[in-house]
Amino acid sequence: MAKIELKNVTMDYGKGIKGLDNVDLTINDHEFLVLLGPSGCGKSTMLRVIAGLLHQTDGQVLFDDQDVTGLDARERNVSMVFQNYALYPHLNVFKNIAFPLGNIKKITKEEITARVEEVAKVLDIEDILNRRPRELSGGQRQRVALGRAMVRNPVVFLFDEPLSNLDTAMRQELREVIADLHRRLNTTFVYVTHDQAEAMQLGDRVAVMDEGKIIQLGNPQEVYNEPNCVYSAGFVGSPKMNFFASRFIKKEANWAVKIMGNEFGIPTGRIPFPGDDPAVSDGGRVISGIRPEDLRLEPVEGAADVSFAANVVKTVPMGAGLHAELETNGTHFMAVFQNHTDVAAGSEVTLHVDPATIHLFDPETEKTLIRYQH
Ligand code: ADP
Ligand code: MG
């Protein structure tokens, strides 16, 4: 069990490359925290700094209020699971899992057997303990790697894209294994992925990262419903949020935004009126964001619904729903229609939007202007 804190942590690799740039973060004891972002944003650097495999060039790392900056990986009692399973090819599964126990003094053979068997039982790999890694599937290998990480009872588990090498079905299965492990073990998990769906499924909280910085930190619903900037809004959700260059229009008692030639009245209270925010002015530019799933083919119940026409450019059937590329007044955008697989390319549809679901961003800073209100 451990609370982990990063205080003003910078990792300067030299030549102006900052793997981490002044990061402040508290990971709560027993939390499942996901670091989410594209390749190169600093996720592995952060994990390695927490592990003590890499020493930050500035700032502090604390475990349970103790500064561990000077301690190396072995002294921090952390376990790490990587994308490539890093098993010893000449050792069988039992010995691979038992390997980290070799460093512990005064542990008996019986204790080692008991620990390995317990871990194997949890991971459902009791029947393959005698096999060598090359005789295992990718999913089994990663279970063994998890077992090896678990066997020492670390204070924190660190995962660096552990499922990226697996096929979709195996990935889903192991996600559930990892989520279950987290419920079962009273341990802090820090999990790195570039896959937003994985982050949403696993994290108690998700840290969206870009260029060595944490851009947004919140639970999955917050990050999805209340993205704090264009970057975060675009990274979480699939297909990604549609962004439209649009304009504010001042109405008698409220504001509207003009998107693709159509006016959408903004629900009362979402913009201070009469706009004392300098970023909000009559005719002023704004970036509007609409999630594909917030575009509907039927009126939105109980909402001040706005409708407009769109041409269907292309459709992709996705089982229960349909992904559609649409066009209105020359602008292309995506929609997801649940339970509507009959929409055909070349046809015209009427779309409905609840204006309360429209996200508005400052075109200069790209920060969220008005937060989504539930
Ligand atoms: P991620 O895991 O999110 O893909 P990394 O933490 O590996 O990102 O890398 C963050 C940035 O630091 C990248 O620009 C990467 O090129 C750089 N970087 C990572 N490791 C080193 C290193 N050993 N030396 C120099 N630059 C590095
Ligand atoms: Mg990485």
Side-chain angles (χ1 to χ4, degrees), residues 36-49:
L36 173 69
S39 177
C41 72
K43 305 181 297 295
S44 294
T45 301
M46 173 115 77
L47 218 55
R48 293 168 70 81
V49 163

Side-chain angles (χ1 to χ4, degrees), residues 128-188:
I128 57 167
L129 288 174
N130 289 321
R131 288 203 215 160
R132 298 273 175 94
R134 71 179 134 77
E135 299 165 323
L136 305 175
S137 70
Q140 287 171 324
R141 282 181 211 172
Q142 203 53 305
R143 282 176 194 255
V144 177
L146 286 174
R148 194 174 54 187
M150 283 163 66
V151 78
R152 266 186 322 126
N153 296 329
V155 294
V156 53
F157 274 102
L158 305 172
F159 298 88
D160 197 348
E161 314 222 19
L163 308 183
S164 305
N165 285 352
L166 304 175
D167 64 49
T168 313
M170 193 56 78
R171 200 150 57 211
Q172 186 53 35
E173 191 180 312
L174 278 208
R175 270 184 207 166
E176 281 159 30
V177 170
I178 290 170
D180 187 49
L181 273 187
H182 179 253
R183 282 187 289 269
R184 193 185 277 264
L185 308 171
N186 203 20
T187 313
T188 309

Side-chain angles (χ1 to χ4, degrees), residues 98-274:
F99 196 85
L101 299 176
N103 295 327
I104 301 174
K105 291 190 186 94
K106 287 189 198 154
I107 187 164
T108 65
K109 256 192 160 166
E110 288 72 29
E111 275 177 273
I112 290 176
T113 304
R115 291 272 275 279
V116 172
E117 282 176 355
E118 187 193 331
V119 163
K121 192 170 170 209
V122 170
L123 293 168
D124 199 19
I125 49 174
E126 294 155 289
D127 53 338
I128 57 167
L129 288 174
N130 289 321
R131 288 203 215 160
R132 298 273 175 94
R134 71 179 134 77
E135 299 165 323
L136 305 175
S137 70
Q140 287 171 324
R141 282 181 211 172
Q142 203 53 305
R143 282 176 194 255
V144 177
L146 286 174
R148 194 174 54 187
M150 283 163 66
V151 78
R152 266 186 322 126
N153 296 329
V155 294
V156 53
F157 274 102
L158 305 172
F159 298 88
D160 197 348
E161 314 222 19
L163 308 183
S164 305
N165 285 352
L166 304 175
D167 64 49
T168 313
M170 193 56 78
R171 200 150 57 211
Q172 186 53 35
E173 191 180 312
L174 278 208
R175 270 184 207 166
E176 281 159 30
V177 170
I178 290 170
D180 187 49
L181 273 187
H182 179 253
R183 282 187 289 269
R184 193 185 277 264
L185 308 171
N186 203 20
T187 313
T188 309
F189 279 37
V190 188
Y191 189 103
V192 162
T193 184
H194 62 270
D195 179 339
Q196 57 90 29
E198 190 161 289
M200 301 296 273
Q201 184 180 344
L202 288 173
D204 292 326
R205 284 191 303 166
V206 175
V208 181
M209 292 184 66
D210 185 30
E211 295 185 344
K213 289 190 168 75
I214 294 174
I215 301 297
Q216 184 166 11
L217 178 65
N219 70 44
Q221 283 310 311
E222 276 164 6
V223 176
Y224 176 84
N225 286 327
E226 304 169 31
N228 64 0
C229 62
V230 167
Y231 178 85
S232 192
F235 206 83
V236 171
S238 177
K240 70 180 250 180
M241 186 184 283
N242 299 295
F243 296 106
F244 305 97
S246 42
R247 300 250 176 207
F248 280 119
I249 304 165
K250 198 170 182 178
K251 295 285 173 187
E252 248 166 58
N254 218 333
W255 290 90
V257 272
K258 195 162 190 172
I259 308 173
M260 298 182 289
N262 296 286
E263 279 185 24
F264 298 78
I266 297 167
T268 315
R270 292 194 69 211
I271 295 184
F273 196 90

